[in-house]
């Protein structure tokens, strides 16, 4: 926790929150059926536009800080999409 990392993963898409944040679910394979993401990148309201540019089932590289674990997934905070 608190470590800055760079991760390459498959985006499973985004979910908006009531606080204005966007959560991008990540995994090492494409989504098939009823699976659960074990890593979620949490984009602030100001950074939501960057997350919306990533298509579902596409590979993405993200630089972020490892945050808390909640609901079985590790949250990545302050994420930046690396091009």
């Amino acid at each position: 926790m608190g470590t800055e990392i760079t991760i390459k993963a498959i985006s499973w898409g985004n979910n908006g929150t009531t606080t204005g944040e966007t959560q991008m679910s990540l995994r090492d394979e494409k989504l098939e059926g009823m699976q659960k993401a074990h890593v979620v990148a949490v984009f602030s309201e100001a950074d939501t536009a960057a997350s919306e540019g990533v298509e579902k089932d596409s590979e993405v590289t993200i630089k972020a800080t490892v945050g808390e674990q909640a609901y079985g997934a590790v949250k990545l905070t302050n994420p930046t999409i690396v091009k």
Side-chain angles (χ1 to χ4, degrees):
M1 199 165 139
T3 304
E4 190 171 292
I5 63 166
T6 301
I7 183 172
K8 185 183 277 189
I10 304 294
S11 170
W12 281 5
N14 299 325
N15 293 313
T17 67
T18 58
T19 61
E21 297 174 325
T22 299
Q23 296 185 355
M24 180 186 293
S25 298
L26 303 167
R27 192 100 183 242
D28 59 352
E29 57 191 23
K30 289 184 180 182
L31 176 61
E32 293 183 20
M34 298 292 290
Q35 295 179 331
K36 180 177 171 97
H38 296 289
V39 178
V40 177
V42 182
F43 290 85
S44 69
E45 187 174 3
D47 295 328
T48 294
S51 68
E52 291 173 349
V54 178
E55 293 182 32
K56 182 179 175 186
D57 291 332
S58 67
E59 189 173 272
V60 63
T61 301
I62 295 177
K63 183 176 180 180
T65 304
V66 177
E68 298 178 347
Q69 183 175 355
Y71 303 106
V74 174
K75 290 189 175 187
L76 301 180
T77 60
N78 303 315
T80 304
I81 296 175
V82 180
K83 302 234 178 200

